[in-house]
Structure formats: structure tokens, C-alpha cells
């Protein structure tokens, strides 16, 4: 009911691994189509790290926007999580859990009554041929009243399907010599 017909996210960055350490630096541009005000569009920078211990992969990330959604000022999102691979099938099932804190400079413009809140999620994901399907439980510590009277901050299940394509891949090893 705000004139938005769709959200289009453009993102880019660099991701690398150094032995078991993963580093991801990038940006995300959120664009809202339809008659939505241009103040809804914003850009966010990202820095994330992870470390593969084999049986569990802990991670942490920081997202920053100098001018967040609806001209609500600067915003900082910090998150930490774990991924637990289940090595039983070719579908690479993984249990993932995260907890994060969103801080917004002007919470009223953002549509909240608090300048920061906590969110968390836990889910199961599986991948095959570049597709990843998942189902997860998500929630926040905001009540409906603290969320501008909207249901968007309440607990819910989220089902997702994504596809990832990499422009670069590890080269094939040389054939054995005879």
C-alpha cells in the first residue's frame, strides 16, 4: 500500500578464500519500482568473514548504509551466525542460524518506534545444480506496535529458491601424463 510494485536488488563484490578463511566485500543496491518515492531506494556496503572448521562454519558480517530506506539516515546491521553442513547426500543440506542487530539513525522515518532491534533465524537449505532451496523460521524482538502496527516484524516461515552462477571457476586439473 505504498506504491511499490517490486523490489529489485543489484549486488556485486569480491569473495575469496584463504585456506579456511572466507572474506566477502561488496555492495547491494535496493531499487523499488512503481510509484514508490525515490527515498525508498538505498545502497548498502558489506563486509563478511567466515571460517570453515569442517563440522561448523561460524561467520560474522557488517552492513552499512549512509542513507537508509525512506531517508532514515545512516544504518548499521551487524550479524553473527553458524552453518552446519550435513554430509549425507549430493544435495549438500545445511542448517543455518543467525542473530543480528539493526540500528537506524531516524527510526520514525524507517517506520519503527525503536532505533535498534534484534532479529534471528534458523533454517534448512539444500543445493543442487546451482539452485538452493530453503525453509527457515525468522523473528524479531519488535512487537506489532513497535513495528508501526505492521505484521512484518512478527515470526514467520520463509521459503526460498535461488540460483547462483559463477563467472570464475577452478580450472580443471591437467590430464595425467602417460
Amino acid at each position: 500500500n505504498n506504491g511499490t510494485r517490486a523490489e529489485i536488488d543489484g549486488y556485486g563484490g569480491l569473495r575469496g578464500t584463504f585456506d579456511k578463511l572466507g572474506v566477502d566485500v561488496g555492495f547491494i543496491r535496493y531499487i523499488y519500482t512503481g510509484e514508490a518515492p525515490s527515498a525508498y531506494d538505498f545502497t548498502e556496503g558489506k563486509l563478511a568473514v567466515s571460517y570453515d572448521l569442517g563440522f561448523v562454519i561460524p561467520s560474522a558480517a557488517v552492513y552499512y548504509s549512509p542513507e537508509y530506506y525512506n531517508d532514515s539516515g545512516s544504518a548499521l546491521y551487524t550479524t553473527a551466525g553458524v552453518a552446519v553442513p550435513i554430509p549425507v547426500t549430493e544435495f549438500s543440506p545445511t542448517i543455518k542460524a543467525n542473530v543480528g542487530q539493526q540500528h537506524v539513525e531516524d527510526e520514525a522515518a524507517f517506520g519503527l518506534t525503536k532505533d535498534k532491534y534484534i532479529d534471528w533465524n534458523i533454517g534448512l537449505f539444500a543445493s543442487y545444480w546451482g539452485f538452493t532451496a530453503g525453509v527457515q523460521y525468522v523473528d524479531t524482538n519488535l512487537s506489532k506496535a513497535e513495528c508501526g502496527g505492521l505484521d512484518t516484524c512478527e515470526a514467520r516461515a520463509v521459503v526460498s529458491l535461488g540460483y547462483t552462477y559463477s563467472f570464475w571457476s577452478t580450472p580443471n586439473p591437467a590430464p595425467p601424463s602417460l
Side-chain angles (χ1 to χ4, degrees), residues 68-153:
Y68 203 50
Y69 176 84
N70 205 28
D71 292 334
S72 56
S74 64
L76 180 68
Y77 181 72
T78 54
T79 184
V82 294
V84 180
I86 305 169
V88 293
T89 72
E90 71 268 14
F91 296 108
S92 307
T94 303
I95 297 171
K96 295 182 181 182
N98 287 286
V99 63
Q101 182 179 49
Q102 177 73 59
H103 179 270
V104 180
E105 184 178 5
D106 184 354
E107 68 272 9
F110 186 59
L112 301 177
T113 60
K114 291 181 169 183
D115 66 342
K116 58 185 164 189
Y117 66 91
I118 297 172
D119 66 77
W120 55 90
N121 62 69
I122 185 166
L124 176 63
F125 297 84
S127 299
Y128 196 69
W129 286 358
F131 289 94
T132 300
V135 62
Q136 64 186 143
Y137 168 83
V138 299
D139 202 357
T140 73
N141 69 333
L142 292 172
S143 68
K144 187 173 181 176
E146 293 168 328
C147 193
L150 302 173
D151 295 332
T152 55
C153 298

Side-chain angles (χ1 to χ4, degrees), residues 22 24-25 45-50 58-64 76-81 98-101:
D24 187 353
V25 178
K46 168 188 175 182
L47 171 61
V49 295
S50 63
S59 62
V62 175
Y63 297 79
Y64 175 76
L76 180 68
Y77 181 72
T78 54
T79 184
N98 287 286
V99 63
Q101 182 179 49

